[in-house]
Structure formats: structure tokens, C-alpha cells
Amino acid sequence: MSLASLSSASRDRSIGWLSARRVPPTVALSFMIIALVIAWSLAPGLFTSHSPIVGVPAEKLLSPSAAHWFGTDHLGRDLYARVVYGTASSVASSLIAVVIAAVSGGLIGLLAGFLGGWVDIVLARLVDVLLAIPNFLLAVIVVTAIGFDTTNAAIATGVSAVAVFARVMRSEVIKTRQAVFVEAAFLMGGSRWHILLRHVLPNASRSVLPLAVLQFGLSILVIASLAFLGYGDPPPASDWGLLISIGKDYLKWPWLVYAPAFVTIATVLSVNRISRWLRKTD
Amino acid sequence: MRGAYLSYAAKRFAQAVVVILLAYVFTFVVVSILPGDPITNVLRDPQNGFSEDQIRQIIAAQGLDRPIPVQLWTSLSNFVTGDLGLSMRSSRPVTTLIAEVLPSTLTLASAAFAIALLLALTIGYGTQFLPKRFGQGLLRGFPSLFLSVPNFVIGLALIHIFGFQLGLFRVIAPDSFWATFFAAIALGVPISARITEVLIANLDKESEQEYAAVARSRGLGPARLFARHLLKPSSLPVVTVIALAIGELLGGSLITETVFGRTGIGSLVQRSVSTQDLPVLQAVVSLAAVVFVLVNLIADLVYPLLDPRVKLIGGQGVRPTTADDSATATSAAVTS
């Protein structure tokens, strides 16, 4: 009896929180920015008629104008088109990073928290090691080890974030494991794996969502930094970090830095705002 | 109590040593799965002019033909005795290479750290005492903003405005005062985000306490209230975050040094990455882990001494306000 009511109450709440809470205007704006960024990465051709690779040499280094929103670069390429076409790899790679981090970190945390004992001790040391190496340095040596391109940069970024997810997941699992309904499930003869998958995992992963969103924003920054240092795809790719890195050699034409930087900052800021809102409404 | 503290300290110390050794092994494994063979690539470089026989001799002399576990053991025991090996590119001891560039990075990192603290204190003060409708909301948004701006963008913007437009410093003289100052800002701003976040949260909590109300009703001005009463209890949890920030300073210096053209640990790493100088990479990463683990160890050991409320339960320190380090480390932006 009590089991049924508990689980239905939690379901009601999970459906309820989207409609019950009014979305603050800044969060709505953030969602719009993210929607635009996703649209850019899915169908860049719809947003610009310029080519991101072939430039018009006569139109090089033009200031931003109605024809070229972000101006043009040293080869006469439209910078707005470069940013739009670079979105796919900048954003998709951050998604890869978050998925890697959340899945493997989540698995580590789940096993450590649920099994306890020596599994917990061994995994805890592994997590300590991953935490001990500064995040960005860890991403750099992993990407060095597996080779410079954007996908590898994403994998490296993911690896550097595994520890965070593992820790949060572990503490959530331990919290959930002590809940009354888990104890009840045990008493009713539920097998360990059944309880792990049906009761503990769904409940513990709720707090992972805001973290994943936040990590998505951080991953965009880390991948942009790796691209900035030249550890991503080489030109003519146009990852945001790479665009900024190319732009830094042309400081007389500052929009080459500021335009892609503005897009990056707006995206990450929106992601952070959404993450904070998710955390509050949870 | 004293005995409990000692056993807690001993346990934490042993844990720290294990983590440092494991971090070394981890780095070794990651670095040795490098594709291709950077070692023979260097030796076969026609500029070096070694014959095949010489190459084989060198590899044997360095013990590089032995199985990986044996190499790991040799390398680990050297590491424990403080021998970090030779750079593959310059054949100089890695310790010398690091010692050469360390002062520059230390200067940058400590300046950045000071700036981060100053920023955190200023913003923290503002969030308590500025008028609610004017300024406070803006200040509370700052940590989130700081966390969203890549530090190379801050660096480039500072170079553009102060170096390029105002001519305050020249990028070709990266060690001048102003260049160091602005590099420290670029490095310090993202670091300050997390510190500020935690400080604000704790200041909010403390200013609602009764003692704060009493102090206010006795007519204490905002500055004295902040400095005398609110700051001390609020800054205790910040100790944990500060220890975590040290790692970020090291990682961030990689980019800041590149942007400002400084030589330092960061640029050493970057050079070693492009030349695949494995011993240097291995050494820097392990040293970073050592620094990080030690700083955190000190923070953990000092904490119970600073805060008498901390109870040592079963040899484990329990910090009252920061439940989970990882939560403060990465989701600082979402704590509200």
C-alpha cells in the first residue's frame, strides 16, 4: 500500500514541476538561445547563405555589417557563417563529453554506493586519482595520448569529468539506499539487481540531471580551450575555440575574437542558468 | 580528542600518499598508450643521425625495451626518490626544466589567487550591503558569469583593451608588471567564481543569525559587521574550495601563459605535448597531483583545528557545511 502511494507521489511531482513552476524570463531566454544553437548545429545552411570555407579575398577583414553580421576574416570568409557551421562540432562534442562522463561516472558511483565494501574502496581511490589531476591538465594528457581531433578532445573532456559524476552519484545512491521504499523492496524479496535498476537508479539519477546540464556548459568551455590550444580539428574547421585562436592574431580587427567569444559565452551562460533553474525546481 | 585527531591525521596522510602513487601510475598508463612510438621517432629523426645499432643501444640503456610493468616499477621508484628522469628532447633532467620555469608560474598563480580572493571578498561584501534592488542582483550574477567566460577570452580582451588600445603593456615583454597583472586577472577571474559562490552562500546564512541582528541593532556599520562578525565564520567552508582552486590555477596557467606569451609550467606542458616529450608530461602531471593532494590534505588537517564544531567520527572528519566536496567543486554554480 504505502509503496504504491510513495511511487505515485514521486511520479506526480516529476510531471508536475514543469507545469507548476512558472518559467522565469531569463530561463525562457536561455532556452531560446539554446534552441537557436541547436538549430545552428542541425541545419547551419538555413541560417546563412555564405560559405564557411570559401572566402572572397576582396572582402577580407570587413567590419560587421548588414551583409556580414560578424564581419569577415583574413581570407574574406563570413565569420557568422563560420560560427554557425562550427556550432555542430562545438556543441555535439560537448554532448559526447557529458554522455561519457555521466554514463561512466554514474556507473562507478552506482556500483560504489550500492555494493559498498571493497568495491567502494577501490573505486573511491580511482575517483580520488582522477580528482587529484587538475581537470584541464587531465584532458590535455588524454587528448595527447589518443590524438588531436575534436572527437578525441570530447572524449578527453569526458574522462576529466568522470570523477564529479561518480561522487555525486555515489552519495545519492547511498542516500536512496537508506530510503524506506528500498528497504521495503528488499523485504518483499526483490533481487539486488531489480532494486538497483528499478528503485535506486531512477531516484539517484534525478540529481544528476542538473549536474549534467552544468557539465555540458563546462565541457563547451574545456573543448573550446582545447581547440584554442590547437588540440582539436585543424583549420578550415571552425570550432568556436579555434575561431578565437585564429582571431587573436588579428587584434586590429577585434570582432574576430569578440564575435565567436560572445556566442560561446551566451551559450554557456544560458546552459548554466538552465542548470541552476533545474536545481531550484527539483 | 587529541588521540582521535592524530589517528584521523594519520589516516588522511596515508590516503594522500596512496593517491599520489596511484596518480603517478595512472599518468604512466595514459601516457604509454600513446599511438605511434614517440621514442623511436625522436631517435630516428635524421637530424640526430643515430644508426639502428646506436638506437637499439640507447633504448636498452634507458630500459625502454623491458616490459611495461617493469618500466613502471623503475619509473615509480625513481619518482619516489625524487628523480624525474631526462627530457627526451633536450636530454636535460626534467627537474631542472621544471625548476627553471616554476618561479614564473608561481608568481602568476599567487597573483591570480590574490586577485581571486579580493574579487570574492568585494563581491561578497557587495551582496550583503548594497541596496537590494540596485546592484545586489547584478553582483549575485557575477560568479555565474565568471564561470561562463573562457579564460583565454578574458585574456585576449585584456590584451586588446589595455595592451593594444591603451598601450599599458606590450605582449612582447610578458614579464613586465602590467603584463603579469593582467595575466593574473585572466587566470584569477574564473577561479574566483567558485570561491565567491560559496562565500556568498555562507554570508547569507550568517547574516540571518541572531548575533548578526544583535550587532546590527547595536549600530554596527556594514564594514565592521562584515569584517568583525560575518567574515570569519563564512570563510571556513571557503577553505575547502580554495584547496580545490589550486588545481584549477595549474590547469588554467596552461592557457593564460599561452595567451600572454609567458614561459612557465603551462608553456612547458604545451611544448612537451607538441614534441611528445613524455617524461616531462609525466613529471608535470604527477607534480600537479602532489601539490593538489598536499594542499587538500593540509586543508583537511587544519579544518578540525579551525572549527571546533567539526566532530571526528571514526577517524573521519565531518565538515558541517560542505557536505560533498565534489558538489562544491563543480556544481558551485548551481548552489543557490
Side-chain angles (χ1 to χ4, degrees):
Chain A
M1 260 329 228
S2 74
L3 259 184
S5 66
L6 264 177
S7 76
S8 76
S10 86
R11 191 161 304 156
D12 280 351
R13 211 174 41 186
S14 65
I15 298 169
W17 63 251
L18 261 183
S19 51
R21 305 265 171 165
R22 281 189 35 237
V23 180
T26 49
V27 176
L29 181 67
S30 303
F31 271 114
M32 272 156 58
I33 290 174
I34 298 304
L36 178 67
V37 166
I38 292 173
W40 277 2
S41 55
L42 291 180
L46 289 181
F47 293 89
T48 173
S49 52
H50 295 284
S51 158
I53 295 171
V54 184
V56 184
E59 296 183 352
K60 68 176 185 179
L61 298 165
L62 294 179
S63 310
S65 63
H68 301 286
W69 290 3
F70 291 171
T72 58
D73 71 2
H74 60 291
L75 297 175
R77 296 175 294 197
D78 180 62
L79 190 62
Y80 172 67
R82 305 254 306 143
V83 170
V84 169
Y85 278 90
T87 310
S89 69
S90 306
V91 172
S93 52
S94 312
L95 267 183
I96 298 176
V98 174
V99 169
I100 290 175
V103 170
S104 41
L107 195 67
I108 292 175
L110 192 65
L111 292 177
F114 193 71
L115 298 176
W118 64 267
V119 178
D120 189 17
I121 294 172
V122 170
L123 291 178
R125 287 297 87 76
L126 176 69
V127 169
D128 278 349
V129 167
L130 288 176
L131 280 177
I133 302 169
N135 249 337
F136 190 64
L137 207 51
L138 181 58
V140 167
I141 60 158
V142 173
V143 80
T144 311
I146 55 185
F148 297 154
D149 73 32
T150 298
T151 316
N152 288 347
I155 296 172
T157 309
V159 170
S160 72
V162 163
V164 180
F165 282 93
R167 277 210 155 179
V168 171
M169 191 66 165
R170 177 178 173 275
S171 68
E172 285 298 315
V173 166
I174 290 176
K175 222 186 291 168
T176 316
R177 219 178 58 166
Q178 291 157 352
V180 182
F181 66 91
V182 172
E183 203 178 323
F186 262 121
L187 291 176
M188 285 166 73
S191 77
R192 276 168 88 86
W193 292 107
H194 173 81
I195 291 168
L196 181 70
L197 294 178
R198 289 299 301 275
H199 297 293
V200 175
L201 181 61
N203 281 289
S205 40
R206 279 181 62 205
S207 71
V208 173
L209 177 68
L211 182 63
V213 175
L214 180 75
Q215 199 60 49
F216 177 62
L218 289 178
S219 300
I220 294 178
L221 291 184
V222 174
I223 289 172
S225 305
L226 290 172
F228 180 81
L229 291 178
Y231 302 157
D233 282 343
S238 56
D239 290 58
W240 296 344
L242 185 63
L243 287 177
I244 298 172
S245 160
I246 297 171
K248 77 173 191 298
D249 299 333
Y250 300 88
L251 273 187
K252 236 179 182 169
W253 301 274
W255 58 87
L256 291 175
V257 167
Y258 289 132
F262 174 74
V263 172
T264 312
I265 295 168
T267 309
V268 179
L269 207 53
S270 306
V271 171
N272 285 351
R273 183 72 191 88
I274 291 171
S275 164
R276 210 167 55 223
W277 176 72
L278 281 176
R279 179 100 151 203
K280 243 183 198 154
T281 50
D282 197 22
Chain B
M1 195 58 211
R2 209 187 141 83
Y5 180 77
L6 284 181
S7 82
Y8 162 72
K11 196 169 169 183
R12 282 293 291 114
F13 185 76
Q15 231 172 35
V17 171
V18 170
V19 169
I20 287 173
L21 293 180
L22 284 178
Y24 189 87
V25 175
F26 177 82
T27 323
F28 188 92
V29 172
V30 170
V31 166
S32 55
I33 58 170
L34 273 166
D37 192 351
I39 297 159
T40 42
N41 279 350
V42 176
L43 293 175
R44 291 226 166 79
D45 190 341
Q47 277 188 345
N48 287 332
F50 291 121
S51 69
E52 283 298 313
D53 259 357
Q54 281 172 311
I55 290 176
R56 228 168 293 132
Q57 272 170 15
I58 294 173
I59 287 181
Q62 296 282 329
L64 294 169
D65 51 350
R66 283 177 286 173
I68 295 285
V70 180
Q71 283 186 43
L72 172 60
W73 179 249
T74 330
S75 153
L76 187 62
S77 33
N78 286 343
F79 170 65
V80 172
T81 55
D83 175 8
L84 296 170
L86 298 176
S87 156
M88 268 163 43
R89 284 287 155 177
S90 61
S91 303
R92 296 169 59 206
V94 175
T95 31
T96 323
L97 285 177
I98 292 179
E100 272 173 11
V101 294
L102 194 61
S104 154
T105 299
L106 281 183
T107 314
L108 177 65
S110 37
F113 186 61
I115 286 170
L117 278 187
L118 200 67
L119 257 176
L121 285 176
T122 315
I123 296 174
Y125 181 81
T127 58
Q128 299 305 312
F129 301 110
L130 277 185
K132 272 249 156 33
R133 310 204 61 183
F134 169 76
Q136 230 195 68
L138 192 72
L139 279 181
R140 282 172 189 274
F142 269 28
S144 185
L145 179 66
F146 289 170
L147 214 58
S148 310
V149 184
N151 75 2
F152 53 88
V153 169
I154 302 176
L156 289 174
L158 290 172
I159 290 178
H160 175 237
I161 297 168
F162 294 98
F164 206 75
Q165 301 279 351
L166 301 179
L168 215 51
F169 65 95
R170 298 164 71 85
V171 189
I172 35 173
D175 290 320
S176 68
F177 172 78
W178 285 112
T180 310
F181 175 70
F182 287 111
I185 292 183
L187 182 57
V189 164
I191 310 271
S192 78
R194 301 176 201 293
I195 302 178
T196 312
E197 197 89 54
V198 177
L199 185 67
I200 291 178
N202 286 291
L203 281 172
D204 283 349
K205 214 171 61 192
E206 294 298 333
S207 66
E208 281 171 13
Q209 304 273 328
E210 281 168 0
Y211 74 83
V214 169
R216 248 180 249 124
S217 66
R218 283 174 53 211
L220 220 63
R224 295 189 68 179
L225 177 66
F226 182 76
R228 290 264 183 96
H229 295 279
L230 298 181
L231 193 57
K232 201 176 166 197
S234 308
S235 49
L236 272 176
V238 177
V239 169
T240 317
V241 191
I242 286 177
L244 292 168
I246 302 293
E248 279 180 72
L249 277 172
L250 280 164
S253 71
L254 208 87
I255 292 196
T256 312
E257 283 172 4
T258 311
V259 170
F260 284 84
R262 298 172 63 90
T263 40
I265 298 285
S267 57
L268 179 68
V269 169
Q270 231 218 329
R271 210 170 48 235
S272 314
V273 165
S274 55
T275 57
Q276 297 204 316
D277 198 338
L278 308 188
V280 178
L281 281 181
Q282 165 92 56
V284 172
V285 175
S286 321
L287 287 183
V290 170
V291 170
F292 180 85
V293 170
L294 285 184
V295 169
N296 277 283
L297 177 68
I298 294 170
D300 278 355
L301 293 183
V302 166
Y303 207 98
L305 302 179
L306 288 180
D307 190 346
R309 288 171 303 176
V310 177
K311 295 269 187 306
L312 296 167
I313 305 162
Q316 289 284 325
V318 181
R319 297 179 193 138
T321 28
T322 46
D324 189 358
D325 310 0
S326 66
T328 47
T330 36
S331 54
V334 284
T335 46
S336 41

PDB file of all heavy atoms in Angstrom, chain B residues 240-267:
ATOM      1  N   THR B 240      37.922  24.790   1.977  1.00  0.00           N
ATOM      2  CA  THR B 240      37.826  23.611   1.122  1.00  0.00           C
ATOM      3  C   THR B 240      37.864  23.988  -0.356  1.00  0.00           C
ATOM      4  O   THR B 240      38.556  23.372  -1.159  1.00  0.00           O
ATOM      5  CB  THR B 240      36.509  22.870   1.403  1.00  0.00           C
ATOM      6  OG1 THR B 240      36.310  22.827   2.803  1.00  0.00           O
ATOM      7  CG2 THR B 240      36.546  21.487   0.851  1.00  0.00           C
ATOM      8  N   VAL B 241      37.090  25.016  -0.693  1.00  0.00           N
ATOM      9  CA  VAL B 241      37.015  25.426  -2.096  1.00  0.00           C
ATOM     10  C   VAL B 241      38.359  25.956  -2.560  1.00  0.00           C
ATOM     11  O   VAL B 241      38.791  25.731  -3.690  1.00  0.00           O
ATOM     12  CB  VAL B 241      35.938  26.504  -2.270  1.00  0.00           C
ATOM     13  CG1 VAL B 241      35.661  26.728  -3.731  1.00  0.00           C
ATOM     14  CG2 VAL B 241      34.676  26.097  -1.566  1.00  0.00           C
ATOM     15  N   ILE B 242      39.038  26.680  -1.648  1.00  0.00           N
ATOM     16  CA  ILE B 242      40.337  27.241  -2.013  1.00  0.00           C
ATOM     17  C   ILE B 242      41.311  26.123  -2.346  1.00  0.00           C
ATOM     18  O   ILE B 242      42.047  26.191  -3.337  1.00  0.00           O
ATOM     19  CB  ILE B 242      40.873  28.113  -0.851  1.00  0.00           C
ATOM     20  CG1 ILE B 242      40.088  29.420  -0.814  1.00  0.00           C
ATOM     21  CG2 ILE B 242      42.352  28.381  -1.038  1.00  0.00           C
ATOM     22  CD1 ILE B 242      40.457  30.323   0.322  1.00  0.00           C
ATOM     23  N   ALA B 243      41.276  25.057  -1.546  1.00  0.00           N
ATOM     24  CA  ALA B 243      42.173  23.939  -1.822  1.00  0.00           C
ATOM     25  C   ALA B 243      41.892  23.357  -3.198  1.00  0.00           C
ATOM     26  O   ALA B 243      42.812  22.993  -3.939  1.00  0.00           O
ATOM     27  CB  ALA B 243      42.004  22.866  -0.752  1.00  0.00           C
ATOM     28  N   LEU B 244      40.619  23.289  -3.565  1.00  0.00           N
ATOM     29  CA  LEU B 244      40.288  22.764  -4.885  1.00  0.00           C
ATOM     30  C   LEU B 244      40.714  23.715  -5.993  1.00  0.00           C
ATOM     31  O   LEU B 244      41.030  23.300  -7.107  1.00  0.00           O
ATOM     32  CB  LEU B 244      38.782  22.505  -4.977  1.00  0.00           C
ATOM     33  CG  LEU B 244      38.258  21.363  -4.106  1.00  0.00           C
ATOM     34  CD1 LEU B 244      36.747  21.377  -4.051  1.00  0.00           C
ATOM     35  CD2 LEU B 244      38.758  20.031  -4.625  1.00  0.00           C
ATOM     36  N   ALA B 245      40.721  25.017  -5.665  1.00  0.00           N
ATOM     37  CA  ALA B 245      41.053  26.012  -6.685  1.00  0.00           C
ATOM     38  C   ALA B 245      42.510  25.919  -7.126  1.00  0.00           C
ATOM     39  O   ALA B 245      42.860  26.330  -8.233  1.00  0.00           O
ATOM     40  CB  ALA B 245      40.760  27.409  -6.156  1.00  0.00           C
ATOM     41  N   ILE B 246      43.378  25.367  -6.249  1.00  0.00           N
ATOM     42  CA  ILE B 246      44.791  25.272  -6.591  1.00  0.00           C
ATOM     43  C   ILE B 246      44.992  24.470  -7.885  1.00  0.00           C
ATOM     44  O   ILE B 246      45.773  24.832  -8.756  1.00  0.00           O
ATOM     45  CB  ILE B 246      45.570  24.605  -5.443  1.00  0.00           C
ATOM     46  CG1 ILE B 246      45.395  25.391  -4.149  1.00  0.00           C
ATOM     47  CG2 ILE B 246      47.047  24.465  -5.790  1.00  0.00           C
ATOM     48  CD1 ILE B 246      46.005  26.752  -4.141  1.00  0.00           C
ATOM     49  N   GLY B 247      44.236  23.374  -8.005  1.00  0.00           N
ATOM     50  CA  GLY B 247      44.327  22.558  -9.216  1.00  0.00           C
ATOM     51  C   GLY B 247      43.930  23.342 -10.454  1.00  0.00           C
ATOM     52  O   GLY B 247      44.568  23.250 -11.496  1.00  0.00           O
ATOM     53  N   GLU B 248      42.895  24.161 -10.273  1.00  0.00           N
ATOM     54  CA  GLU B 248      42.437  24.951 -11.403  1.00  0.00           C
ATOM     55  C   GLU B 248      43.458  25.994 -11.817  1.00  0.00           C
ATOM     56  O   GLU B 248      43.600  26.307 -13.000  1.00  0.00           O
ATOM     57  CB  GLU B 248      41.145  25.659 -11.048  1.00  0.00           C
ATOM     58  CG  GLU B 248      39.932  24.784 -11.166  1.00  0.00           C
ATOM     59  CD  GLU B 248      38.719  25.583 -10.792  1.00  0.00           C
ATOM     60  OE1 GLU B 248      38.315  26.447 -11.571  1.00  0.00           O
ATOM     61  OE2 GLU B 248      38.203  25.369  -9.685  1.00  0.00           O
ATOM     62  N   LEU B 249      44.169  26.533 -10.822  1.00  0.00           N
ATOM     63  CA  LEU B 249      45.207  27.516 -11.138  1.00  0.00           C
ATOM     64  C   LEU B 249      46.250  26.890 -12.054  1.00  0.00           C
ATOM     65  O   LEU B 249      46.692  27.484 -13.034  1.00  0.00           O
ATOM     66  CB  LEU B 249      45.893  27.998  -9.858  1.00  0.00           C
ATOM     67  CG  LEU B 249      45.217  29.097  -9.067  1.00  0.00           C
ATOM     68  CD1 LEU B 249      45.928  29.316  -7.754  1.00  0.00           C
ATOM     69  CD2 LEU B 249      45.207  30.384  -9.861  1.00  0.00           C
ATOM     70  N   LEU B 250      46.635  25.635 -11.731  1.00  0.00           N
ATOM     71  CA  LEU B 250      47.632  24.945 -12.538  1.00  0.00           C
ATOM     72  C   LEU B 250      47.121  24.682 -13.956  1.00  0.00           C
ATOM     73  O   LEU B 250      47.823  24.915 -14.938  1.00  0.00           O
ATOM     74  CB  LEU B 250      48.010  23.620 -11.879  1.00  0.00           C
ATOM     75  CG  LEU B 250      49.004  23.740 -10.738  1.00  0.00           C
ATOM     76  CD1 LEU B 250      49.034  22.483  -9.911  1.00  0.00           C
ATOM     77  CD2 LEU B 250      50.373  24.057 -11.296  1.00  0.00           C
ATOM     78  N   GLY B 251      45.865  24.186 -14.034  1.00  0.00           N
ATOM     79  CA  GLY B 251      45.301  23.909 -15.347  1.00  0.00           C
ATOM     80  C   GLY B 251      45.129  25.192 -16.151  1.00  0.00           C
ATOM     81  O   GLY B 251      45.440  25.242 -17.341  1.00  0.00           O
ATOM     82  N   GLY B 252      44.653  26.239 -15.476  1.00  0.00           N
ATOM     83  CA  GLY B 252      44.396  27.499 -16.153  1.00  0.00           C
ATOM     84  C   GLY B 252      45.664  28.175 -16.637  1.00  0.00           C
ATOM     85  O   GLY B 252      45.664  28.876 -17.644  1.00  0.00           O
ATOM     86  N   SER B 253      46.783  27.930 -15.918  1.00  0.00           N
ATOM     87  CA  SER B 253      48.028  28.606 -16.317  1.00  0.00           C
ATOM     88  C   SER B 253      48.466  28.141 -17.695  1.00  0.00           C
ATOM     89  O   SER B 253      49.148  28.852 -18.419  1.00  0.00           O
ATOM     90  CB  SER B 253      49.118  28.337 -15.283  1.00  0.00           C
ATOM     91  OG  SER B 253      49.543  26.999 -15.369  1.00  0.00           O
ATOM     92  N   LEU B 254      48.058  26.939 -18.072  1.00  0.00           N
ATOM     93  CA  LEU B 254      48.392  26.426 -19.400  1.00  0.00           C
ATOM     94  C   LEU B 254      47.930  27.384 -20.482  1.00  0.00           C
ATOM     95  O   LEU B 254      48.650  27.696 -21.434  1.00  0.00           O
ATOM     96  CB  LEU B 254      47.664  25.087 -19.573  1.00  0.00           C
ATOM     97  CG  LEU B 254      48.305  24.093 -20.487  1.00  0.00           C
ATOM     98  CD1 LEU B 254      49.281  23.291 -19.682  1.00  0.00           C
ATOM     99  CD2 LEU B 254      47.274  23.178 -21.098  1.00  0.00           C
ATOM    100  N   ILE B 255      46.679  27.846 -20.331  1.00  0.00           N
ATOM    101  CA  ILE B 255      46.092  28.717 -21.347  1.00  0.00           C
ATOM    102  C   ILE B 255      46.564  30.145 -21.181  1.00  0.00           C
ATOM    103  O   ILE B 255      46.959  30.806 -22.136  1.00  0.00           O
ATOM    104  CB  ILE B 255      44.563  28.651 -21.257  1.00  0.00           C
ATOM    105  CG1 ILE B 255      44.140  27.254 -21.683  1.00  0.00           C
ATOM    106  CG2 ILE B 255      43.923  29.715 -22.079  1.00  0.00           C
ATOM    107  CD1 ILE B 255      42.731  27.108 -22.002  1.00  0.00           C
ATOM    108  N   THR B 256      46.571  30.617 -19.919  1.00  0.00           N
ATOM    109  CA  THR B 256      46.948  32.002 -19.689  1.00  0.00           C
ATOM    110  C   THR B 256      48.372  32.263 -20.177  1.00  0.00           C
ATOM    111  O   THR B 256      48.651  33.286 -20.785  1.00  0.00           O
ATOM    112  CB  THR B 256      46.838  32.330 -18.189  1.00  0.00           C
ATOM    113  OG1 THR B 256      45.585  31.846 -17.736  1.00  0.00           O
ATOM    114  CG2 THR B 256      46.916  33.806 -17.949  1.00  0.00           C
ATOM    115  N   GLU B 257      49.272  31.312 -19.897  1.00  0.00           N
ATOM    116  CA  GLU B 257      50.649  31.509 -20.330  1.00  0.00           C
ATOM    117  C   GLU B 257      50.752  31.526 -21.844  1.00  0.00           C
ATOM    118  O   GLU B 257      51.552  32.267 -22.421  1.00  0.00           O
ATOM    119  CB  GLU B 257      51.544  30.421 -19.724  1.00  0.00           C
ATOM    120  CG  GLU B 257      51.852  30.710 -18.265  1.00  0.00           C
ATOM    121  CD  GLU B 257      52.567  29.573 -17.565  1.00  0.00           C
ATOM    122  OE1 GLU B 257      52.896  28.571 -18.223  1.00  0.00           O
ATOM    123  OE2 GLU B 257      52.784  29.691 -16.359  1.00  0.00           O
ATOM    124  N   THR B 258      49.937  30.710 -22.513  1.00  0.00           N
ATOM    125  CA  THR B 258      49.950  30.729 -23.973  1.00  0.00           C
ATOM    126  C   THR B 258      49.455  32.073 -24.491  1.00  0.00           C
ATOM    127  O   THR B 258      50.062  32.672 -25.379  1.00  0.00           O
ATOM    128  CB  THR B 258      49.044  29.617 -24.531  1.00  0.00           C
ATOM    129  OG1 THR B 258      49.380  28.411 -23.878  1.00  0.00           O
ATOM    130  CG2 THR B 258      49.216  29.466 -26.012  1.00  0.00           C
ATOM    131  N   VAL B 259      48.352  32.558 -23.920  1.00  0.00           N
ATOM    132  CA  VAL B 259      47.760  33.797 -24.410  1.00  0.00           C
ATOM    133  C   VAL B 259      48.714  34.965 -24.199  1.00  0.00           C
ATOM    134  O   VAL B 259      48.905  35.796 -25.088  1.00  0.00           O
ATOM    135  CB  VAL B 259      46.415  34.068 -23.688  1.00  0.00           C
ATOM    136  CG1 VAL B 259      45.901  35.455 -24.005  1.00  0.00           C
ATOM    137  CG2 VAL B 259      45.393  33.030 -24.082  1.00  0.00           C
ATOM    138  N   PHE B 260      49.342  35.023 -23.027  1.00  0.00           N
ATOM    139  CA  PHE B 260      50.202  36.167 -22.718  1.00  0.00           C
ATOM    140  C   PHE B 260      51.646  35.937 -23.120  1.00  0.00           C
ATOM    141  O   PHE B 260      52.507  36.759 -22.847  1.00  0.00           O
ATOM    142  CB  PHE B 260      50.108  36.512 -21.230  1.00  0.00           C
ATOM    143  CG  PHE B 260      48.843  37.235 -20.870  1.00  0.00           C
ATOM    144  CD1 PHE B 260      47.686  36.537 -20.618  1.00  0.00           C
ATOM    145  CD2 PHE B 260      48.812  38.619 -20.824  1.00  0.00           C
ATOM    146  CE1 PHE B 260      46.511  37.198 -20.303  1.00  0.00           C
ATOM    147  CE2 PHE B 260      47.647  39.296 -20.507  1.00  0.00           C
ATOM    148  CZ  PHE B 260      46.491  38.583 -20.250  1.00  0.00           C
ATOM    149  N   GLY B 261      51.930  34.795 -23.727  1.00  0.00           N
ATOM    150  CA  GLY B 261      53.281  34.523 -24.195  1.00  0.00           C
ATOM    151  C   GLY B 261      54.294  34.395 -23.077  1.00  0.00           C
ATOM    152  O   GLY B 261      55.472  34.724 -23.249  1.00  0.00           O
ATOM    153  N   ARG B 262      53.882  33.943 -21.895  1.00  0.00           N
ATOM    154  CA  ARG B 262      54.816  33.768 -20.787  1.00  0.00           C
ATOM    155  C   ARG B 262      55.457  32.400 -20.868  1.00  0.00           C
ATOM    156  O   ARG B 262      54.876  31.466 -21.410  1.00  0.00           O
ATOM    157  CB  ARG B 262      54.073  33.866 -19.450  1.00  0.00           C
ATOM    158  CG  ARG B 262      53.425  35.189 -19.198  1.00  0.00           C
ATOM    159  CD  ARG B 262      52.575  35.089 -17.944  1.00  0.00           C
ATOM    160  NE  ARG B 262      53.365  34.805 -16.762  1.00  0.00           N
ATOM    161  CZ  ARG B 262      53.896  35.741 -15.979  1.00  0.00           C
ATOM    162  NH1 ARG B 262      53.693  36.998 -16.263  1.00  0.00           N
ATOM    163  NH2 ARG B 262      54.581  35.408 -14.923  1.00  0.00           N
ATOM    164  N   THR B 263      56.651  32.268 -20.318  1.00  0.00           N
ATOM    165  CA  THR B 263      57.198  30.935 -20.155  1.00  0.00           C
ATOM    166  C   THR B 263      56.879  30.500 -18.733  1.00  0.00           C
ATOM    167  O   THR B 263      56.956  31.284 -17.801  1.00  0.00           O
ATOM    168  CB  THR B 263      58.721  30.909 -20.328  1.00  0.00           C
ATOM    169  OG1 THR B 263      59.254  32.063 -19.707  1.00  0.00           O
ATOM    170  CG2 THR B 263      59.111  30.857 -21.774  1.00  0.00           C
ATOM    171  N   GLY B 264      56.494  29.243 -18.591  1.00  0.00           N
ATOM    172  CA  GLY B 264      56.118  28.748 -17.276  1.00  0.00           C
ATOM    173  C   GLY B 264      55.777  27.289 -17.413  1.00  0.00           C
ATOM    174  O   GLY B 264      56.031  26.667 -18.445  1.00  0.00           O
ATOM    175  N   ILE B 265      55.189  26.741 -16.348  1.00  0.00           N
ATOM    176  CA  ILE B 265      54.824  25.334 -16.377  1.00  0.00           C
ATOM    177  C   ILE B 265      53.854  25.058 -17.523  1.00  0.00           C
ATOM    178  O   ILE B 265      53.969  24.064 -18.235  1.00  0.00           O
ATOM    179  CB  ILE B 265      54.151  24.944 -15.036  1.00  0.00           C
ATOM    180  CG1 ILE B 265      55.120  25.141 -13.871  1.00  0.00           C
ATOM    181  CG2 ILE B 265      53.657  23.513 -15.076  1.00  0.00           C
ATOM    182  CD1 ILE B 265      56.172  24.090 -13.782  1.00  0.00           C
ATOM    183  N   GLY B 266      52.900  25.967 -17.684  1.00  0.00           N
ATOM    184  CA  GLY B 266      51.900  25.788 -18.732  1.00  0.00           C
ATOM    185  C   GLY B 266      52.509  25.706 -20.110  1.00  0.00           C
ATOM    186  O   GLY B 266      52.193  24.814 -20.898  1.00  0.00           O
ATOM    187  N   SER B 267      53.439  26.644 -20.394  1.00  0.00           N
ATOM    188  CA  SER B 267      54.030  26.613 -21.728  1.00  0.00           C
ATOM    189  C   SER B 267      54.973  25.422 -21.869  1.00  0.00           C
ATOM    190  O   SER B 267      55.146  24.883 -22.963  1.00  0.00           O
ATOM    191  CB  SER B 267      54.754  27.926 -22.018  1.00  0.00           C
ATOM    192  OG  SER B 267      55.727  28.175 -21.050  1.00  0.00           O
TER     193      SER B 267
END
